[in-house]
């Protein structure tokens, strides 16, 4: 369903969304995805049995505006249900620095 079943402190800090508000909602419902179709393409890859590694994306946040990220994700089984386990790395500052040097 794409609903968040757990988030860590890094997620809440980066996105500006309190844990209590995030759990049970989707990142689209929270307004985080700039391009929801990008999310659907990633989910299609996962459904096809592939793992995402360091895929670039951009998110809206409530506290910092837009951030550039790399996402890695895989389907795992939790309590007998398929779930997406994802790790998102904020690379906003690194991207800005490389854009300045380019």
């Amino acid at each position: 369903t794409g609903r968040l079943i757990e988030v860590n402190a890094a997620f809440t800090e980066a996105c500006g969304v309190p844990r209590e508000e995030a759990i049970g909602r989707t990142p689209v419902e929270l307004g985080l995805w700039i391009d929801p179709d990008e999310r659907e393409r990633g989910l299609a890859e996962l459904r096809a049995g592939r793992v995402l590694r360091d895929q670039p994306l951009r998110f809206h946040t409530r506290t910092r505006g837009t951030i550039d990220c790399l996402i890695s994700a895989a389907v795992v089984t939790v309590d007998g249900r398929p779930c997406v386990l994802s790790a998102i790395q904020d690379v906003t500052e690194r991207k800005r620095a490389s854009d300045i040097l380019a």
Side-chain angles (χ1 to χ4, degrees), residues 69-85:
C69 301
L70 296 176
I71 186 169
S72 296
V75 176
V76 299
T77 301
V78 177
D79 294 330
R81 297 181 310 172
C83 295
V84 175
L85 176 64

Side-chain angles (χ1 to χ4, degrees), residues 2 12 16 34 43-44 49 51 60 82 88 91 101:
T12 60
I34 290 173
L43 288 174
V51 173
H60 287 296
I88 300 172
V91 295
L101 295 174

Side-chain angles (χ1 to χ4, degrees), residues 17-102:
V17 178
R19 180 184 180 281
E20 302 75 31
E21 184 179 341
I23 301 301
R25 297 184 66 199
T26 70
V28 172
E29 291 171 344
L30 295 170
L32 301 177
W33 282 89
I34 290 173
D35 180 0
D37 290 338
E38 188 175 63
R39 176 180 177 268
E40 290 305 315
R41 285 189 296 274
L43 288 174
E45 291 290 311
L46 293 169
R47 287 183 188 113
R50 292 185 276 280
V51 173
L52 301 180
R53 293 195 197 285
D54 295 330
Q55 297 294 310
L57 61 101
R58 300 185 83 206
F59 274 136
H60 287 296
T61 72
R62 293 185 183 173
T63 53
R64 298 175 46 213
T66 301
I67 59 174
D68 293 287
C69 301
L70 296 176
I71 186 169
S72 296
V75 176
V76 299
T77 301
V78 177
D79 294 330
R81 297 181 310 172
C83 295
V84 175
L85 176 64
S86 62
I88 300 172
Q89 178 183 8
D90 182 349
V91 295
T92 305
E93 294 306 317
R94 181 172 53 180
K95 186 173 184 316
R96 285 186 186 146
S98 70
D99 289 347
I100 290 170
L101 295 174

